[in-house]
Amino acid sequence: MFDVRPVGYVIGLLVATLGATMLLPLGIDISMRNGHWPIFAESAIITVLTGGLVALACHNGVGPSLTLRQTFLLTTLVWAALPIFGAIPFMIGETKASFTDAYFEAMSGLTTTGSTTFSGLDTLPEGLLLWRSLLQWLGGIGIIVVAMVFLPELRVGGMQIFRSEAFDTMGKILPRAAQIASQITWIYLGLTVIATLGYLVLGMGPFDAVNHALTSISTGGFSTHDTSFGGFQGAPEYFASVIMLVASMPFVRYIQLISGRAEPLFRDSQIRAYLAFVAAVSVVLALFQVFYDKEPLEPSLREALFNATSIISGTGYASVDYQEWGSFAMVVIFFAGLVGGCAGSTACSVKIFRYQLLFASIRQLVRLLHTPRGVFMTRYQGRPVGQDVLNSVMSFFVLFTVSLGLLSVGLAMTGLDFTTSISGAATALGNIGPGLGDMIGPSGNFEEVNVTAKWLLSAAMLAGRLELMAVYALFTVAFWRR
Amino acid sequence: MFDVRPVGYVIGLLVATLGATMLLPLGIDISMRNGHWPIFAESAIITVLTGGLVALACHNGVGPSLTLRQTFLLTTLVWAALPIFGAIPFMIGETKASFTDAYFEAMSGLTTTGSTTFSGLDTLPEGLLLWRSLLQWLGGIGIIVVAMVFLPELRVGGMQIFRSEAFDTMGKILPRAAQIASQITWIYLGLTVIATLGYLVLGMGPFDAVNHALTSISTGGFSTHDTSFGGFQGAPEYFASVIMLVASMPFVRYIQLISGRAEPLFRDSQIRAYLAFVAAVSVVLALFQVFYDKEPLEPSLREALFNATSIISGTGYASVDYQEWGSFAMVVIFFAGLVGGCAGSTACSVKIFRYQLLFASIRQLVRLLHTPRGVFMTRYQGRPVGQDVLNSVMSFFVLFTVSLGLLSVGLAMTGLDFTTSISGAATALGNIGPGLGDMIGPSGNFEEVNVTAKWLLSAAMLAGRLELMAVYALFTVAFWRR
Ligand SMILES: [K+]
Ligand SMILES: [K+]
C-alpha cells in the first residue's frame, strides 16, 4: 500500500505555518485601523486548525524517510494545497473574490508568477496587499529549497546536475531541506532588508518599500499599484533591476560567498551567460527605441533594462506598457521570457543552464558529424555531463514546448484571442506574470479572463513552477507501476 | 585542400536539367499563343548554358565518391543555387519581379513552401503558372531523394533511423541517389497522373488540373488562382485531401507496395499516428464550427478536413479563410503546422516520427525516475533506437524552436507585427505556405512583405527544408575543423 501519511504530515505542518504567517497582515490591518483585521483572524484560525489537524492525523505514519514516490507527491501536493488556504482572505476579505479568482491569485502568488485577477489595488486594505506579497515571498523561498534539494534528487529536468556530492541518500531529504532552508532564510531575509532599505532611500513609502522588496526578491512581481512600477520611474528602476538580477541567480553562490568563497560566484558560467543575455536584450531594445522612435538615450536604456530584466528574471513588473514600443519589443519580450533566469534561484521558465547544455550538446553533435566514431563529452562548468542529464534537459525542453502549444490551444478554445492565448500560456508556464495584448498585457490584468482559462492557467503555473516533470510524472501509468 | 569541383559538377548538371524543364512552360506558352514563350526560351538558354559550363569546368575534378563535407555542401548549395535560375522567368517575364521577389518565389517553389509574392495569378501567362508548379514538383521529388538518401547518411535530425541496411558506404551515395530517384520518379509520376485525372473528373479545367496535381503531390501549395482552392469547393476538397495525405506519407512504403509488399504500409506506426492526428484535428475544428458557429455538419467537416490536411501535410492550400473560424482555429492551425507530416515524403516541419521518438524517450525517463539503475531502451517501430538518433532528434527540436524564436525576432525587427512575425517564421521554417493575420494569412500573400524579411524567409525555407542541421553545420567552426 502507498502510504500518504508522511506526505499529509508535512503538508499539514506547512499549511499551519502558512496560517501563522497570516498574523503579519492581521497586525498591519490592526495598526492601520482599517477594520479589516478580523478577516485575517478568521483565515488564520481556519488554516492553522486544518493544517494542525491534518498533521496530527498523519503523525503516526511518519517514518525516518520518504520514498521517491512520496517525495514526488509531496512536492506537487504542497503547491496545490497551500493556495487553497492562501485564497481564504481573498474570498472573505474586501476583494470578495470567487474561489476561482482567489485560488488563481494565491497560486500566482505562491508560484511567484504575479499575474493578478484584481484591479483597484491602490484602494485595497493593507493586509490584503501584504498577504499577496507574503505569498510570493514564501513561495520564493520554498522554490529555492525545492530547486536545491528536491528537484536534483528527483532528477527532474536535468536539475540533477546541481546535486551536491555531499548529499547522500534519499532518506535524508527532509533534514537536508531543513538545513538548506535555514541557510537560505538568512540570505533571503538579508536581501529583503537590503531591498526594503534601498526602495525607502529612493523615495518609496515604507509600505510600498516592504511589499516591493518582498516581491522583488522572490521574482514574484505583485505590486501594490494597478500601474505596477509605473509610479516609481527613475532611480528605483535601476535599483530594482539589480535586485531582480540578484534574485534570479543561483543562491548556492551566496551561501558560498558568506562562507568566504567569492570566486564560485564570479566564475559561474551560468551567471555570466545570464548577465550577458540580459545586457544584450536591454541594449537591443534601447537602441531600437533610440533609433526608430527617436527617444532620448537615458530613459530608453533605463526602461529597456528594467522591463527586460523584469521579464527575463520572471518577475513581471512593468514600468511602462512596452507594447507601445512596437511589435519588435513584443516579440523580443515574448521569447526572452521563454529563456528565463538561473537555476537554483526564484527564477522560472526554461532557464539559462538548459540552453547552455542544449547548445553544448548540439556542438558535440556537429563534431560527431564528421567523426562518427569519435567520443566527445559534453561539458558544463568544466565537468563532463552525463547522458541522463542531457536527456532530462532535452525532455524538459520538449515538454515545455508541447505544453505551451497544448495550453495555447486550450486557452483559445475558451475564446481568448491568438496573442492572449499564446502569451498567456507562456506567462503561466514560465511563471512570469504579464502576457501580451490588451487584456493580459502589462497594462491589463487577468480579471476578465474566463473561469475555465483561469483554472488552466493555475494548473500551468503549478506545473511550470515544479519543472513540469515533477507534476506530470504523477499522471503517468509508468510512474505508479511497480 | 577542400575540392569543390565534384560539388560544382553535380550542381551544374542539375542547373542544366532545370533549364531543360523550362521547355515545358515554353511549350505551353506557344500552344496558348500568349506571346510569352520567348521569356522561357531566353531563360532556358541562360540556365542550360550556365549549368553546362559549370559542369564542364568542374568535370576534371570528379572522382568516384563524395566526402562527407562535400555531400553537406552539395545538399545546401543545390537548394541555394537552383532558385537563382528558377527566378529568371519571374524577373524577365510578365511578373517583372525584383530579384528579391523572384528568388523568394523560386525558393518557395523548390522548397515546396508555397508562399507567393504574386497577386493577380489568374491573369498571368500559362507558362509562368506552370513554371511555379513545376518548381514545386521538381523540389518535391528532389526532397524525397534527399530525405531517403542524403539526410540519413549525413545523420541529420535523426533521419539516420531511416538508413537502409542495404546501404553501405558514403562513396556510393550518388549511384544510390540515382537508383532511388528512378524508382521514386515512376511512383511520383504515377501519382501525379492519378491526381490530374481526379481533378479533371471532379470538374477542374485541364490546365488547373495539371497544375494542382503538380503542387498537391509535392505538398507545395502554389495555386493558379489568388483564391487558392476557394474556387474548387465540394468534392475536389475531399479528393485533394486524400492526395495531400498520400504525398505526406513515407514514399518507401509505395516502393514496397508496388513490389508486392503491402503490409509495411499498413503497419507503419508513423502513418497511423499521422492519420490519427489529422483526423483528430479535423474533427475538433469541425465540431467547434458546428457547435459554436451553428454551421451545418457536411461543409464544416469537409472544410476542416481539407484545411487541416493542407496545413499539417505542409501543402498550404486554403479553400476558405479559416481565420474567420476564430482564434481557436488560428491557434490550432498554428501549432498543427508545427507537427507536420511523415519523414521520407515531401512533407516538412518537425514531422510525426520525431514526436513519436521524443515521447517514447520521455516515457523511458519517467520509468527511470523510480528505477534509476534500470536500463530501458527506447523503441520505434519495434526496433531499439540508439542514443545518437535520440540526440539528433532532440537537437533538431531545439534548433527548430530556437530558430523559430530568432527568426520571429528578426522579422519583427523589420516591422512586421506580432502575429505576422511568429506565423511567418513558422510557415517558412515548416515549409507550409500561408501564415496568419491580414497580410500573409490564407487570404493574403507575401507581396507587401519588406525586402529584408523576404530574404530572411528565403533563408528559413532553405534551412527548414534541409532539416536545419544540413545547412547550419556549414556555418560552424567545428564542422570545418580537421
Ligand atoms: K513572476
Ligand atoms: K507547402
Side-chain angles (χ1 to χ4, degrees):
Chain A
M1 249 308 288
F2 184 80
D3 191 355
V4 295
R5 288 175 303 176
V7 175
Y9 179 71
V10 177
I11 292 179
L13 287 187
L14 288 172
V15 167
T17 310
L18 187 75
T21 59
M22 290 177 183
L23 298 179
L24 290 169
L26 187 151
I28 192 116
D29 274 345
I30 289 177
S31 74
M32 289 291 177
R33 299 169 197 277
N34 58 23
H36 200 263
W37 66 267
I39 298 302
F40 282 99
E42 227 177 289
S43 305
I45 291 169
I46 298 172
T47 307
V48 171
L49 278 184
T50 313
L53 284 174
V54 168
L56 210 63
C58 297
H59 183 65
N60 59 344
V62 178
S65 70
L66 288 180
T67 68
L68 191 103
R69 287 198 177 95
Q70 287 170 333
T71 313
F72 262 93
L73 196 64
L74 173 64
T75 311
T76 296
L77 279 190
V78 165
W79 253 273
L82 288 181
I84 298 174
F85 298 93
I88 296 173
F90 302 130
M91 294 170 70
I92 63 178
E94 192 164 309
T95 39
K96 295 265 172 268
S98 64
F99 180 60
T100 300
D101 282 11
Y103 188 85
F104 178 98
E105 193 81 7
M107 180 63 91
S108 174
L110 283 163
T111 56
T112 78
T113 304
S115 305
T116 185
T117 57
F118 301 143
S119 57
L121 294 176
D122 307 69
T123 60
L124 284 186
E126 286 79 2
L128 275 180
L129 292 173
L130 182 63
W131 183 235
R132 292 166 75 246
S133 307
L134 276 173
L135 285 172
Q136 296 206 317
W137 194 82
L138 294 169
I141 192 160
I143 208 63
I144 298 175
V145 174
V146 164
M148 287 181 69
V149 183
F150 286 81
L151 299 180
E153 203 52 21
L154 299 179
R155 292 174 300 124
V156 160
M159 295 291 282
Q160 57 266 46
I161 202 175
F162 300 110
R163 207 161 161 180
S164 149
E165 290 91 43
F167 186 32
D168 23 44
T169 62
M170 269 305 296
K172 303 202 181 144
I173 200 160
L174 290 181
R176 169 79 175 171
Q179 182 202 333
I180 296 248
S182 82
Q183 289 176 311
I184 292 293
T185 304
W186 289 110
I187 293 169
Y188 198 69
L189 261 176
L191 289 172
T192 310
V193 170
I194 293 171
T196 308
L197 294 176
Y199 286 137
L200 272 175
V201 168
L202 295 171
M204 276 193 198
F207 185 69
D208 280 348
V210 169
N211 279 285
H212 286 95
L214 292 172
T215 60
S216 298
I217 209 64
S218 56
T219 65
F222 274 155
S223 175
T224 47
H225 301 281
D226 286 345
T227 54
S228 188
F229 235 74
F232 307 111
Q233 286 173 347
E237 288 177 280
Y238 287 114
F239 180 70
S241 300
V242 173
I243 295 292
M244 292 188 284
L245 286 175
V246 168
S248 50
M249 293 182 346
F251 272 61
V252 66
R253 300 286 170 249
Y254 307 145
I255 297 184
Q256 292 168 325
L257 188 68
I258 54 172
S259 61
R261 291 190 293 138
E263 95 285 354
L265 176 68
F266 294 107
R267 303 182 73 183
D268 188 326
S269 79
Q270 184 176 211
I271 293 178
R272 288 181 184 196
Y274 177 53
L275 295 179
F277 181 69
V278 171
V281 172
S282 305
V283 168
V284 165
L285 284 179
L287 290 183
F288 204 79
Q289 284 277 91
V290 170
F291 285 107
Y292 282 78
D293 298 340
K294 309 290 173 212
E295 299 284 339
L297 184 62
E298 194 282 324
S300 298
L301 207 51
R302 171 167 44 81
E303 288 173 358
L305 173 70
F306 176 83
N307 291 285
T309 306
S310 170
I311 293 297
I312 300 171
S313 68
T315 310
Y317 294 136
S319 66
V320 292
D321 187 345
Y322 38 72
Q323 298 190 116
E324 289 168 8
W325 298 351
S327 69
F328 173 64
M330 283 173 70
V331 174
V332 167
I333 281 173
F334 176 77
F335 286 103
L338 298 180
V339 172
C342 300
S345 74
T346 61
C348 343
S349 198
V350 177
K351 300 197 185 77
I352 294 287
F353 86 100
R354 293 210 175 86
Y355 287 98
Q356 291 181 297
L357 284 171
L358 291 171
F359 291 148
S361 160
I362 291 171
R363 229 174 357 250
Q364 296 315 320
L365 209 68
V366 174
R367 285 220 223 157
L368 276 172
L369 285 178
H370 64 74
T371 315
R373 306 205 188 287
V375 176
F376 303 101
M377 200 71 189
T378 303
R379 302 180 81 84
Y380 184 65
Q381 310 254 32
R383 282 186 299 188
V385 178
Q387 184 67 51
D388 63 313
V389 173
L390 291 178
N391 280 348
S392 292
V393 169
M394 289 177 167
S395 298
F396 174 88
F397 191 84
V398 173
L399 284 177
F400 193 91
T401 313
V402 172
S403 301
L404 189 66
L406 292 177
L407 181 59
S408 303
V409 168
L411 292 175
M413 197 179 255
T414 72
L416 301 182
D417 69 33
F418 183 78
T419 307
T420 306
S421 299
I422 291 193
S423 69
T427 209
L429 274 173
N431 301 121
I432 299 166
L436 294 172
D438 293 335
M439 188 192 256
I440 62 168
S443 302
N445 62 52
F446 287 69
E447 196 175 8
E448 302 298 326
V449 171
N450 64 75
V451 171
T452 315
K454 275 180 185 145
W455 283 106
L456 288 174
L457 291 166
S458 294
M461 290 187 246
L462 172 72
R465 183 73 276 189
L466 297 176
E467 315 270 325
L468 306 178
M469 193 54 116
V471 177
Y472 292 172
L474 299 177
F475 295 93
T476 62
V477 176
F479 180 76
W480 294 105
R481 190 182 289 149
R482 303 232 146 243
Chain B
M1 249 308 286
F2 183 82
D3 191 354
V4 295
R5 287 174 303 175
V7 174
Y9 179 71
V10 177
I11 292 178
L13 287 187
L14 288 172
V15 167
T17 310
L18 186 75
T21 59
M22 289 177 183
L23 299 179
L24 289 170
L26 187 153
I28 192 117
D29 275 345
I30 289 177
S31 72
M32 290 290 178
R33 299 170 198 278
N34 58 23
H36 201 263
W37 66 267
I39 298 303
F40 282 100
E42 225 177 291
S43 305
I45 291 167
I46 298 171
T47 307
V48 171
L49 278 184
T50 315
L53 285 174
V54 169
L56 210 64
C58 298
H59 183 67
N60 57 345
V62 179
S65 69
L66 288 181
T67 68
L68 192 101
R69 286 199 178 93
Q70 287 170 333
T71 314
F72 263 93
L73 196 64
L74 173 63
T75 311
T76 297
L77 279 190
V78 164
W79 253 273
L82 288 180
I84 298 173
F85 299 93
I88 297 174
F90 302 130
M91 294 169 69
I92 63 178
E94 192 165 307
T95 40
K96 295 266 172 266
S98 66
F99 179 60
T100 300
D101 282 11
Y103 187 85
F104 178 98
E105 192 81 7
M107 180 63 90
S108 174
L110 283 163
T111 56
T112 78
T113 305
S115 305
T116 185
T117 56
F118 300 144
S119 57
L121 294 176
D122 307 69
T123 60
L124 285 185
E126 286 78 2
L128 275 181
L129 292 173
L130 181 64
W131 183 235
R132 293 166 77 246
S133 307
L134 276 174
L135 284 172
Q136 296 207 318
W137 194 83
L138 294 169
I141 192 160
I143 209 62
I144 299 175
V145 173
V146 165
M148 287 180 68
V149 183
F150 286 81
L151 298 179
E153 203 52 22
L154 299 178
R155 292 172 300 124
V156 159
M159 295 292 283
Q160 57 265 47
I161 203 175
F162 301 109
R163 206 162 163 179
S164 149
E165 290 90 40
F167 186 32
D168 24 43
T169 62
M170 269 307 293
K172 302 200 181 145
I173 200 160
L174 289 181
R176 168 80 175 170
Q179 181 202 334
I180 296 248
S182 83
Q183 287 175 311
I184 292 293
T185 303
W186 288 111
I187 293 169
Y188 198 69
L189 261 176
L191 289 171
T192 309
V193 170
I194 293 171
T196 308
L197 294 176
Y199 286 137
L200 272 175
V201 168
L202 295 170
M204 277 192 198
F207 184 71
D208 281 347
V210 169
N211 278 284
H212 286 94
L214 292 172
T215 62
S216 298
I217 209 63
S218 56
T219 65
F222 274 154
S223 175
T224 46
H225 301 282
D226 285 345
T227 53
S228 187
F229 234 75
F232 307 112
Q233 286 173 347
E237 288 177 281
Y238 287 114
F239 180 71
S241 299
V242 173
I243 296 292
M244 292 187 286
L245 287 175
V246 168
S248 50
M249 292 181 348
F251 272 61
V252 65
R253 300 287 170 247
Y254 308 144
I255 297 184
Q256 292 167 325
L257 189 68
I258 54 171
S259 60
R261 290 189 293 138
E263 96 286 352
L265 177 66
F266 294 107
R267 302 183 72 185
D268 188 325
S269 81
Q270 184 175 212
I271 293 178
R272 287 179 185 198
Y274 177 52
L275 295 180
F277 181 70
V278 171
V281 172
S282 305
V283 168
V284 165
L285 284 179
L287 290 183
F288 204 79
Q289 284 277 90
V290 170
F291 286 107
Y292 283 76
D293 298 339
K294 309 292 173 209
E295 299 284 340
L297 185 62
E298 194 282 325
S300 297
L301 207 52
R302 170 167 45 80
E303 289 172 359
L305 173 70
F306 176 82
N307 291 285
T309 306
S310 170
I311 294 296
I312 301 171
S313 69
T315 309
Y317 293 136
S319 66
V320 293
D321 187 344
Y322 39 72
Q323 298 190 117
E324 289 168 8
W325 298 350
S327 69
F328 173 65
M330 282 172 69
V331 174
V332 167
I333 281 173
F334 176 77
F335 286 104
L338 298 180
V339 173
C342 300
S345 73
T346 61
C348 342
S349 197
V350 178
K351 299 197 185 76
I352 294 287
F353 86 99
R354 293 211 175 86
Y355 287 98
Q356 291 181 298
L357 284 171
L358 291 171
F359 291 148
S361 159
I362 291 171
R363 226 169 6 245
Q364 295 315 319
L365 210 69
V366 173
R367 287 220 222 156
L368 276 173
L369 285 178
H370 64 74
T371 315
R373 306 205 187 287
V375 175
F376 302 101
M377 199 71 189
T378 303
R379 301 180 81 83
Y380 183 65
Q381 311 254 33
R383 281 185 300 187
V385 179
Q387 185 66 51
D388 64 312
V389 173
L390 292 178
N391 281 348
S392 292
V393 169
M394 288 176 166
S395 298
F396 174 88
F397 192 83
V398 173
L399 284 178
F400 193 90
T401 314
V402 172
S403 301
L404 189 65
L406 292 177
L407 181 59
S408 303
V409 168
L411 292 175
M413 198 179 255
T414 72
L416 301 183
D417 69 32
F418 183 79
T419 307
T420 305
S421 299
I422 292 192
S423 69
T427 209
L429 275 173
N431 301 121
I432 299 166
L436 294 172
D438 292 336
M439 189 191 256
I440 62 168
S443 302
N445 62 53
F446 287 68
E447 195 175 9
E448 302 297 327
V449 171
N450 64 75
V451 171
T452 316
K454 275 179 185 147
W455 283 105
L456 288 174
L457 291 166
S458 294
M461 290 188 247
L462 172 71
R465 182 73 275 189
L466 297 176
E467 315 270 325
L468 307 177
M469 192 55 117
V471 177
Y472 292 172
L474 298 176
F475 294 94
T476 63
V477 177
F479 179 77
W480 294 104
R481 189 181 290 150
R482 302 234 145 240

